[in-house]
Amino acid sequence: LMGISGIGQYVRYMPYPVISGFMSGIGLIIIFLQIFPFFGLDSPTAIVDVFASLGDIGKNMNMQAVLLSLATIAIIYLFPRVTKKVPSALVALVGLTLVTIFAGLNVPVIGDIPKGLPDVHIDTLLSMDWHHPMVMVIPALTLAALGAIDALLTSVVADNKTKTKHNSNRELIGQGIGNIGAGLIGGLPGAGATMRTVVN
């Protein structure tokens, strides 16, 4: 509804310092949250906890993971000197995954990814208490507004990086349809993710 009504067009009035600060903050968060994985450890979810737990790295670090991390960084920055036809990040991902498998390195892995299609939860929707609709409407509007701001800021960041121009209203319509679909299969509402967009 926000996309159809044209609210998305107003993101262009977002001041550049806000966008720049947003991008810089996201960049720092990416770096801080990768400190622990660099050493083969699970990262705390909060940035404050990352700094509070830095002292634990020395006694728990996984040297094989550290060597793998250093090799990844080296490939990402040095491989473009060999050729730019293949993305260096892809070479690092595929190459070092194979090295890890064949060398039998003891490093943390993501684990099993669920297989198959999720169940549709129409029964949950039908069993809701519609006598107090505001209990659902107010949180829904709050999440929609937050998601819209996040997605449109992400779009502006992507525009700056790719020298393109997004369609804000189309972005909001797509996000709304996606979140409706996610809700039907028990998913949580989401929005444009600046960290993952910048990395991609």
Side-chain angles (χ1 to χ4, degrees):
L1 288 175
M2 283 193 285
I4 291 168
S5 63
I7 288 174
Q9 63 184 315
Y10 296 109
V11 74
R12 67 174 180 266
Y13 297 114
M14 192 73 68
Y16 181 76
V18 172
I19 297 165
S20 178
F22 189 71
M23 289 175 67
S24 301
I26 292 293
L28 288 172
I29 289 171
I30 292 172
I31 292 168
F32 294 147
L33 291 180
Q34 291 307 307
I35 292 173
F36 275 76
F38 182 94
F39 294 100
L41 305 171
D42 290 333
S43 178
T45 53
I47 298 296
V48 175
D49 294 337
V50 169
F51 288 108
S53 306
L54 285 176
D56 299 335
I57 292 176
K59 57 189 176 189
N60 297 319
M61 79 168 74
N62 179 333
M63 280 311 297
Q64 292 182 352
V66 173
L67 293 173
L68 203 62
S69 300
L70 291 171
T72 302
I73 293 170
I75 291 171
I76 287 172
Y77 285 103
L78 298 178
F79 190 79
R81 295 183 181 183
V82 178
T83 180
K84 292 186 177 178
K85 292 182 178 178
V86 182
S88 58
L90 184 62
V91 173
L93 175 67
V94 174
L96 293 176
T97 297
L98 294 173
V99 167
T100 302
I101 292 169
F102 291 118
L105 297 181
N106 180 25
V107 294
V109 294
I110 292 172
D112 293 330
I113 298 172
K115 297 177 179 67
L117 297 173
D119 297 325
V120 178
H121 297 283
I122 298 293
D123 55 327
T124 307
L125 293 173
L126 296 176
S127 63
M128 285 185 182
D129 181 9
W130 295 101
H131 297 293
H132 304 286
M134 297 312 288
V135 172
M136 291 176 280
V137 171
I138 291 173
L141 290 175
T142 305
L143 285 171
L146 181 62
I149 292 168
D150 199 7
L152 297 180
L153 274 176
T154 298
S155 299
V156 172
V157 170
D159 286 348
N160 287 334
K161 288 207 161 285
T162 59
K163 304 295 184 275
T164 55
K165 183 76 178 123
H166 74 281
N167 182 322
S168 298
N169 295 320
R170 187 180 296 176
E171 193 79 31
L172 293 178
I173 291 169
Q175 180 170 295
I177 293 169
N179 277 328
I180 290 169
L184 292 174
I185 57 174
L188 295 172
T194 310
M195 284 192 285
R196 285 173 283 286
T197 299
V198 171
V199 169
N200 285 330

